[in-house]
């Protein structure tokens, strides 16, 4: 099956002229300025086309992939959609970790990166409050941060965010095996220090693509749509452009979050401070999508009952895991919700 699918993909690539040059395709073209740097991380500032709202947006993306999925192309950019609608946007780009970063923990990412980045964003924007927007695992980080933050978070928006890891499709025997083999797993992770991008790529494709030729079938179906083909090329570049995963953080994600579900159980500690989701009081918008194979809504929706926010909304949008990021426009429900809550 693998050989046949690889041959099929090869034929489709030849038909569409998909060569190695496609890896050089330009992404992330919305104008931006760096306002803060730490180690590999950068906070990028994207000014509004015409600023209409006082509360800026602070975006946090995943530690697994590069964040240009939020700014894929001119017609497929969530960041550009926000700026067109009058929002100043700040994006925390964690960069590409090196072996020297192998001991960075969740504690570090929350307190030394996200917290500091938000402080610099508030200072740069001269705003009194901020909207924190988390996408995928970036939403998990945003949730943890919001529960321990001292900074003034007015709104918290979570897109396709895993929170309740008890809902992962793992059998009891698998969970027990992973717990019993914790020592061995930790030794393997420590051996690598950081997990190579190829491992991340294979893991995600294994979890989400039982049929590896599906994207190529979709390409053939839309072969006469040049805009679709262009976006397909950019999206496929992103899906294979993963970054190394820091070992110390991975161990926390596997054992503290995925297996012990400490975030939902209010047992997670960040710098010895308990992460209690009831500390989240910000206006909350949680968005899942109907066809998300990576983060189905059952991993997300339970947060609605765990926070103290009085103003909280849950939305289920049509699409897959990355649909909202590459739609090129804001869903009306999101635009309406955010515009009403973005004036200090």
């Amino acid at each position: 099956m693998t050989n046949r699918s690889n041959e099929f993909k090869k034929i489709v690539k030849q038909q569409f002229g998909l060569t190695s040059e496609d890896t050089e395709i330009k992404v992330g073209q919305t104008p931006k300025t760096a306002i803060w740097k730490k180690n590999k991380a950068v906070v990028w500032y994207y000014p509004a086309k015409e600023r209409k709202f006082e509360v800026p947006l602070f975006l946090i993306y995943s530690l697994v992939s590069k964040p240009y999925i939020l700014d894929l192309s001119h017609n497929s950019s969530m960041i550009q959609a926000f700026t067109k609608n009058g929002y100043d946007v700040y994006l925390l780009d964690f960069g590409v970790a090196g072996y020297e970063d192998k001991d960075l923990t969740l504690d570090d990412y929350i307190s030394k990166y996200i917290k500091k980045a938000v402080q610099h964003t508030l200072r740069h924007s001269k705003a009194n409050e901020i909207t924190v927007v988390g996408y995928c695992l970036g939403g998990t980080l945003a949730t943890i941060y919001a529960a321990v933050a001292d900074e003034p978070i007015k709104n918290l928006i979570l897109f396709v965010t895993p929170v309740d890891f008890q809902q992962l499709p793992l059998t009891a025997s698998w969970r027990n095996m992973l717990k019993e083999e914790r020592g061995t797993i930790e030794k393997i992770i420590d051996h690598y220090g950081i997990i190579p991008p190829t491992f991340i790529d294979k893991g995600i494709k294994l979890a989400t693509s039982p049929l590896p030729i599906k994207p190529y079938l979709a390409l053939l179906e839309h072969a006469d749509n040049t805009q679709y083909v262009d976006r397909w090329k950019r999206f496929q570049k992103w899906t294979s452009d993963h970054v190394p995963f820091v070992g110390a953080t991975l161990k926390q994600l596997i054992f503290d979050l995925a297996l012990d579900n400490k975030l939902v159980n209010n047992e997670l500690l960040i710098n010895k401070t308990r992460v209690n989701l009831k500390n989240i009081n910000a206006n909350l918008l949680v968005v899942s999508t109907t066809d998300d194979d990576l983060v189905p809504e059952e991993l997300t929706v339970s947060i609605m009952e765990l926070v103290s926010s009085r103003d909280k909304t849950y939305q289920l949008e049509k699409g897959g895991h990355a649909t909202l990021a590459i739609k090129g426009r804001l869903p009306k429900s999101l635009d309406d919700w955010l515009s009403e809550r973005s004036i200090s």
Side-chain angles (χ1 to χ4, degrees):
M1 176 66 181
T2 300
N3 290 336
R4 289 183 179 179
S5 63
N6 287 338
E7 184 64 25
F8 175 77
K9 288 188 283 187
K10 181 179 178 180
I11 292 172
V12 175
K13 286 181 178 181
Q14 291 173 342
Q15 179 175 341
F16 284 87
L18 303 177
T19 67
S20 58
E21 294 177 359
D22 292 307
T23 61
E24 304 301 323
I25 192 168
K26 291 183 178 181
V27 292
Q29 296 298 289
T30 301
K32 61 188 178 183
T33 304
I35 67 154
W36 179 72
K37 296 182 180 181
K38 179 181 177 64
N39 193 11
K40 314 301 191 318
V42 181
V43 173
W44 296 106
Y45 167 53
Y46 303 81
K49 299 294 183 182
E50 180 182 343
R51 186 179 172 190
K52 299 178 182 179
F53 302 102
E54 300 169 15
V55 181
L57 309 184
F58 180 82
L59 275 57
I60 307 173
Y61 193 66
S62 175
L63 297 171
V64 176
S65 303
K66 294 181 180 178
Y68 63 75
I69 186 64
L70 303 178
D71 188 27
L72 197 61
S73 69
H74 177 70
N75 295 314
S76 303
S77 171
M78 172 179 277
I79 288 176
Q80 187 179 83
F82 278 131
T83 60
K84 281 184 176 180
N85 284 37
Y87 298 95
D88 279 341
V89 176
Y90 296 81
L91 168 69
L92 175 56
D93 180 350
F94 291 107
V96 180
Y99 184 77
E100 64 277 10
D101 302 309
K102 64 184 177 63
D103 296 321
L104 285 176
T105 63
L106 267 178
D107 309 57
D108 295 321
Y109 279 116
I110 299 300
S111 62
K112 296 180 181 179
Y113 287 84
I114 296 177
K115 184 180 181 69
K116 295 297 182 182
V118 169
Q119 291 172 351
H120 281 272
T121 295
L122 286 166
R123 190 175 301 120
H124 182 270
S125 65
K126 297 181 174 59
N128 296 320
E129 298 173 293
I130 198 166
T131 293
V132 175
V133 182
Y135 206 109
C136 188
L137 183 58
T140 311
L141 299 178
T143 301
I144 296 170
Y145 164 68
V148 298
D150 298 318
E151 292 71 39
I153 303 174
K154 181 168 187 178
N155 307 305
L156 175 63
I157 301 176
L158 304 177
F159 291 115
V160 292
T161 294
V163 175
D164 188 355
F165 291 87
Q166 184 62 37
Q167 303 303 321
L168 284 173
L170 291 176
T171 63
S173 59
W174 265 97
R175 289 182 182 275
N176 291 335
M177 183 276 293
L178 290 171
K179 289 181 179 179
E180 291 171 0
E181 297 298 328
R182 175 169 183 162
T184 301
I185 295 170
E186 289 184 334
K187 285 181 181 179
I188 294 172
I189 294 174
D190 290 340
H191 172 75
Y192 282 96
I194 60 172
I195 306 305
T198 51
F199 286 27
I200 304 297
D201 181 54
K202 297 300 183 184
I204 291 178
K205 287 179 178 176
L206 181 64
T208 61
S209 299
L211 294 176
I213 63 173
K214 284 174 63 178
Y216 294 87
L217 291 171
L219 178 61
L220 286 175
E221 184 180 353
H222 298 87
D224 58 344
N225 185 332
T226 56
Q227 183 174 333
Y228 180 92
V229 173
D230 178 71
R231 186 169 66 177
W232 187 95
K233 291 180 181 180
R234 296 171 188 273
F235 185 74
Q236 290 303 309
K237 169 183 170 64
W238 172 78
T239 59
S240 300
D241 199 9
H242 297 291
V243 295
F245 205 107
V246 174
T249 296
L250 180 60
K251 288 189 288 186
Q252 288 176 286
L253 291 178
I254 292 174
F255 297 107
D256 289 350
L257 297 189
L259 290 181
D260 293 340
N261 210 24
K262 287 185 177 181
L263 180 56
V264 163
N265 294 330
N266 294 327
E267 296 173 349
L268 182 66
L269 297 179
I270 295 293
N271 293 323
K272 299 181 180 180
T273 297
R274 188 174 300 278
V275 179
N276 190 334
L277 295 181
K278 290 189 179 299
N279 291 337
I280 296 177
N281 297 289
N283 303 325
L284 177 65
L285 174 64
V286 179
V287 183
S288 296
T289 51
T290 55
D291 303 309
D292 191 338
D293 295 326
L294 190 61
V295 185
E297 65 171 323
E298 54 264 28
L299 270 70
T300 303
V301 67
S302 61
I303 193 176
M304 301 299 293
E305 304 302 321
L306 301 173
V307 300
S308 297
S309 305
R310 293 185 177 181
D311 182 341
K312 51 187 178 180
T313 303
Y314 180 80
Q315 294 178 0
L316 183 64
E317 297 280 346
K318 184 176 181 180
H321 187 70
T323 299
L324 297 172
I326 63 175
K327 192 179 279 275
R329 58 180 174 79
L330 302 183
K332 186 176 185 303
S333 55
L334 167 60
D335 189 28
D336 290 345
W337 188 95
L338 185 57
S339 62
E340 292 174 2
R341 296 163 177 81
S342 294
I343 300 175
S344 294

